[in-house]
Amino acid sequence: NEGIHLSARNGLLAGTVSGLAIGVCIAVVLFFIFEDHRHLLEVVLWMTAMFSLTAFLWFGGFDVLRHYTLRCVLTAVEGFPLRIATFLDHAARLDLLHRIGGGYIFPNRLLMDHFAAGEFDVEVEAN
């Protein structure tokens, strides 16, 4: 998640800085072009919001949006845990996985082959 958090931070920073800069420029230009200033603030705020949103999406927001959309879809369709880091840490505490740096590996080749083959069918006896 570090990369996604970095993308979100970059997008928010770019959106804020570009939105404020463009908003100030638009306000100054429109103030001198139009004599009627009744709706000036509303127009400037809307245009600033649109530029900020565009900059956010361009500089990392699309990646964040795709990441969390994929996580939600996997959770809804496949029953995948929404908080995968917690799940992987729990599996590491149970010795099903070993944590190596920022990643995880299977300690047992047979366990890895079992999951890779997609053999998830487990029969449960009803008592």
Side-chain angles (χ1 to χ4, degrees):
N1 278 342
E2 289 178 27
I4 292 300
H5 289 229
L6 184 61
S7 291
R9 192 183 81 197
N10 289 342
L12 287 172
L13 182 65
T16 303
V17 170
S18 66
L20 288 175
I22 290 174
V24 168
C25 292
I26 290 172
V28 169
V29 167
L30 292 181
F31 183 80
F32 289 112
I33 290 178
F34 297 108
E35 293 177 9
D36 184 14
H37 299 141
R38 285 182 291 168
H39 301 290
L40 180 66
L41 180 62
E42 184 179 338
V43 170
V44 168
L45 288 177
W46 274 106
M47 292 181 80
T48 301
M50 291 300 112
F51 277 109
S52 295
L53 179 63
T54 302
F56 167 74
L57 291 173
W58 188 266
F59 289 102
F62 278 125
D63 296 328
V64 173
L65 189 62
R66 279 188 298 202
H67 174 80
Y68 284 107
T69 301
L70 177 63
R71 284 179 63 173
C72 289
V73 167
L74 287 174
T75 300
V77 175
E78 298 290 328
F80 203 71
L82 190 58
R83 302 183 132 248
I84 189 66
T86 306
F87 173 74
L88 292 173
D89 288 339
H90 180 68
R93 283 192 302 274
L94 296 174
D95 290 331
L96 296 173
L97 294 174
H98 284 206
R99 186 174 181 131
I100 306 293
Y104 297 86
I105 63 168
F106 283 100
N108 187 326
R109 179 76 180 176
L110 290 175
L111 184 62
M112 182 180 68
D113 292 340
H114 172 75
F115 285 123
E119 302 170 9
F120 300 116
D121 295 332
V122 178
E123 294 183 22
V124 179
E125 293 181 21
N127 289 337

